[in-house]
Amino acid sequence: MSADVVPGVVAVVLVSLATLAIGTWGLRISRTTSDFLVASRTVRPRLNASAIGGEYLSAASFLGVAGLLLTFGAEMLWYPVGWTAGYLVLLVLVAAPLRRSGAYTLPDFAEARLGSRGVRKLCSVLVVMIGWLYLLPQFQGAGVTLRATIDAPPWVGSLVVAVVVLASVSPGGMRSITFVQAFQYWLKLTALLIPVCVLLAIWVSDGAADPVATAPRSWSIPLADPGGGIGLYTTYSLIVATFLGTMGLPHVVVRFYTNPDGRAARRTTLAVLGLLGIFYVIPPVYGALGRIYAPALADGRSDVLVLELPSLMVGGPLGATLTGLVTAGAFAAFLSTSSGLTIAVAGVLSQDVTGRRWGSHRLGGVAAFRVAAVIAVVVPLLMSVPAQDVAVARTVGLAFAVTASTFAPLLMLGIWWRGLTPAGAVAGLLVGGLGSGVAVAWTLATSSSSGWAAALLSQPAAWSVPASLLTMVVVSRLTRASVPAHAGRFMVRLHTPEAVELERG
Amino acid sequence: MSEQPPPRVRVTGPPRRRADVVRSPGTREIDAETALGEVFMRSLLREQLLLAVRVLVALTLTLGLLPLVFHLWPGLGEVEVGPLPLAWLLLGVLTYPWLVLLGWAYVRRAEGHERDFADLVGSADEEPG
């Protein structure tokens, strides 16, 4: 065992050190609060796209997708497809207007658009909840990784990720994390791409066995279990959740404010689409090869497929090196997504909680952010210890259902429809948030069951998103008199190119 | 670090927008929220929204119909293209270039709409390169 753990340990240590080193280097050029929170809004599209890609490709993408594909087959291709298509929806509906709104977080946007403190508070609560729901699987995944590669107890991986994230986020904020995350995108891509080339070469020299031969028939059909009407519903519900959920993810939204202007925001998003497309071609290859070389993992341990496949197919030092490489990539995935989420949650907490006056004491901007970062990390870390093993990609999928039912309707209507009122927004957020939230809680709490009720609760997006949208529209029409007076001016600001000189309120 | 920081002083520069610049008539209409300005804004908004909807319809009619197609014709699950099952080829590979193509077309059109709008209302600044 002692020789087996060397590549894993080396990989984890190297990635952690590189992350801290780049973070420290970024620290030297991170001086103001603006640098700290939005990298002074000067990040070029190409660097920014790498950073968004690095932040977005989480443990669910790096480990979870390949594992789910191994077990369930083509139906799980909807996860990577949805996570990429989500960026196209984001591009056409919100990218440029969101940047032009000039707000930093989702609560900022809601307050600026609707002029209401109440909507702001509700959005802050939702951002923190969603951030924690999304951080939880990252910490769990880190535990799984370290258990698989160095045989450590699960909490060790979670703790290492939490400590490195805090150490890299707290000193340099957004400016330094931009470089860290851009680096981590390329690290993750390399860490999947090089091993897969070697593995494919081995597969060809072994006679290129057909992965479909050993798989059940449903493996080649992109419809969810158990097929029929329920399968169709589940598939479409997943599509709705992922296509719309991306735009509401707190850590993705924060990144948009680092673009110089609306045009750059669009070009960044287009570049992200390309980067994600390149990355997501690879995990299915692991899933398919796993069918041939590691079919035993399909029952229950599929999350470790990417980590164990290289050593199952290649022995000796080459196998150990490849294992080290994928471990490094997996670790980078936890670190980058967790730091992005930590920044987003801490940004909201520092504005609305730790930055406020407590008694006679009031923390400065950067100090408040650091305290908030600690809170943002510690809570999900504690939650991850007792939480049982839920497939990483599935937990992340639930977070998408919640964002799709809350922030996506708010952003879509807020950007394209003047008639949205604060009361309408609050009602819609509550309907969507409570509906999907209850469904998520029920799914996480109970074990698997079947039938329509279970399908409706485990994939709520197909009903909770329309319910939320409809509530926002109907309540806004009923409270027509309270359309914010500045709504027209705000539309000018959201949709006109910066080059045109206009009053933007 | 432990001392009280000095009180903040607001440092201001000269206003970025020159007051004496001659604003074009179109931007003045929009700033004054006149009926004409309203028409300018509504047409920009409608064009951009229609473009977005067109892209989303294209996405729905291609990717969005796949589950239904495989539901109606389950035999497609046995179709193989080279070494890959059809579903894996469509969703695992071909989807991504298609998404990038849709995104690229959208960005080109959206920037075109914004240029038209800037020409229409008479931009006071040069378009950045």
Side-chain angles (χ1 to χ4, degrees):
Chain A
M1 186 200 96
S2 56
D4 291 348
V5 306
V6 173
V9 173
V10 170
V12 169
V13 170
L14 279 183
V15 171
S16 304
L17 285 182
T19 301
L20 292 175
I22 297 173
T24 316
W25 171 66
L27 178 62
R28 297 219 315 249
I29 48 177
S30 184
R31 294 198 182 82
T32 64
T33 308
S34 170
D35 275 348
F36 209 79
L37 294 178
V38 289
S40 293
R41 302 197 161 138
T42 52
V43 187
R44 300 252 134 247
R46 209 173 297 171
L47 174 64
N48 214 3
S50 297
I52 294 180
E55 171 170 270
Y56 189 59
L57 295 170
S58 67
S61 305
F62 196 90
L63 299 178
V65 167
L68 289 172
L69 282 166
L70 168 71
T71 310
F72 300 100
E75 66 174 276
M76 292 301 164
L77 286 169
W78 286 110
Y79 277 105
V81 166
W83 289 332
T84 315
Y87 267 93
L88 182 65
V89 180
L90 188 153
L91 169 67
V92 302
L93 287 179
V94 302
L98 190 59
R99 170 61 195 91
R100 286 176 180 145
S101 74
Y104 169 48
T105 60
L106 280 164
D108 283 345
F109 173 83
E111 188 184 9
R113 169 69 180 78
L114 297 165
S116 152
R117 298 284 302 170
V119 180
R120 184 200 175 87
K121 282 193 188 127
L122 184 57
C123 288
S124 300
V125 171
L126 279 169
V127 165
V128 174
M129 295 319 240
I130 292 167
W132 282 342
L133 183 62
Y134 209 121
L135 272 168
L136 182 64
Q138 308 303 322
F139 288 154
Q140 284 174 327
V144 170
T145 305
L146 284 207
R147 193 174 51 198
T149 51
I150 65 173
D151 219 8
W155 58 267
V156 173
S158 313
L159 192 66
V160 171
V161 167
V163 168
V164 177
V165 165
L166 271 184
S168 62
V169 164
S170 306
M174 191 60 124
R175 186 83 181 235
S176 64
I177 214 71
T178 300
F179 294 107
V180 172
Q181 286 172 335
F183 159 74
Q184 279 166 342
Y185 170 80
W186 296 104
L187 175 62
K188 275 181 268 194
L189 185 64
T190 316
L192 271 195
L193 192 59
I194 293 180
V196 95
C197 293
V198 176
L199 299 183
L200 279 177
I202 293 174
W203 172 68
V204 169
S205 68
D206 280 358
D210 185 1
V212 188
T214 60
R217 196 166 158 277
S218 66
W219 208 69
S220 321
I221 296 181
L223 284 171
D225 239 19
I230 293 180
L232 203 59
Y233 164 83
T234 309
T235 310
Y236 273 114
S237 198
L238 178 69
I239 290 176
V240 171
T242 50
F243 280 33
L244 294 178
T246 306
M247 71 172 76
L249 290 178
H251 62 305
V252 171
V253 168
V254 168
R255 275 246 142 253
F256 272 83
Y257 307 121
T258 60
N259 286 299
D261 57 22
R263 217 169 91 108
R266 275 200 203 106
R267 298 189 163 204
T268 301
T269 317
L270 183 58
V272 172
L273 266 181
L275 292 178
L276 292 181
I278 295 170
F279 181 89
Y280 279 133
V281 171
I282 312 175
V285 181
Y286 281 87
L289 288 177
R291 262 287 148 200
I292 307 168
Y293 292 95
L297 292 178
D299 302 319
R301 292 185 61 234
S302 62
D303 269 347
V304 299
L305 169 68
V306 171
L307 298 170
E308 297 199 348
L309 192 62
S311 57
L312 287 172
M313 288 179 67
V314 199
L318 180 60
T321 313
L322 296 181
T323 304
L325 202 54
V326 286
T327 310
F331 221 70
F334 307 128
L335 288 181
S336 54
T337 304
S338 314
S339 16
L341 285 162
T342 304
I343 290 209
V345 174
V348 169
L349 282 177
S350 71
Q351 282 176 343
D352 291 335
V353 182
T354 56
R356 286 174 52 179
R357 187 178 292 279
W358 292 94
S360 61
H361 204 70
R362 188 191 176 114
L363 291 172
V366 173
F369 180 85
R370 287 179 181 153
V371 173
V374 174
I375 301 173
V377 167
V378 168
V379 172
L381 183 64
L382 293 178
M383 276 159 53
S384 77
V385 176
Q388 34 180 323
D389 279 329
V390 188
V392 171
R394 281 195 193 269
T395 320
V396 168
L398 293 173
F400 273 81
V402 179
T403 59
S405 326
T406 51
F407 289 129
L410 178 71
L411 284 170
M412 288 191 288
L413 292 177
I415 287 172
W416 295 104
W417 187 46
R418 255 171 251 224
L420 186 68
T421 64
V426 168
L429 287 174
L430 285 177
V431 167
L434 287 177
S436 57
V438 166
V440 166
W442 185 87
T443 309
L444 286 178
T446 56
S447 51
S448 60
S449 52
S450 54
W452 268 106
L456 288 170
L457 286 172
S458 67
Q459 281 298 347
W463 56 267
S464 60
V465 174
S468 170
L469 267 172
L470 200 68
T471 312
M472 279 192 195
V473 173
V474 169
V475 176
S476 292
R477 292 323 274 167
L478 293 177
T479 55
R480 201 174 308 200
S482 63
V483 169
H486 69 284
R489 184 79 77 204
F490 205 75
M491 285 289 158
V492 172
R493 173 178 180 160
L494 290 180
H495 294 283
T496 54
E498 284 87 346
V500 182
E501 290 240 357
L502 285 168
E503 282 293 334
R504 292 193 161 84
Chain B
M1 281 302 270
S2 57
E3 299 156 22
Q4 277 292 314
R8 270 220 161 146
V9 181
R10 185 180 289 274
V11 181
T12 53
R16 214 152 53 93
R17 185 178 295 157
R18 295 174 303 280
D20 56 323
V21 86
V22 182
R23 304 286 301 280
S24 65
T27 56
R28 268 182 282 139
E29 298 286 346
I30 294 176
D31 287 347
E33 297 185 317
T34 61
L36 183 59
E38 188 73 353
V39 171
F40 285 149
M41 275 315 293
R42 274 191 196 282
S43 78
L44 174 70
L45 232 88
R46 202 181 48 231
E47 284 207 22
Q48 297 287 48
L49 187 59
L50 268 180
L51 173 63
V53 168
R54 275 205 296 272
V55 173
L56 293 179
V57 167
L59 183 68
T60 313
L61 289 183
T62 49
L63 262 184
L65 282 185
L66 277 185
L68 194 62
V69 167
F70 274 85
H71 177 70
L72 294 177
W73 292 282
L76 285 174
E78 278 145 40
V79 178
E80 292 198 13
V81 185
L84 283 174
L86 181 64
W88 282 67
L89 178 70
L90 288 173
L91 283 174
V93 183
L94 295 182
T95 296
Y96 300 110
W98 172 236
L99 290 175
V100 173
L101 186 72
L102 282 176
W104 176 79
Y106 169 79
V107 169
R108 239 174 50 112
R109 290 281 184 83
E111 287 184 358
H113 287 164
E114 286 180 355
R115 265 194 304 277
D116 294 347
F117 175 79
D119 289 345
L120 184 68
V121 301
S123 158
D125 272 346
E126 288 298 319
E127 191 78 4

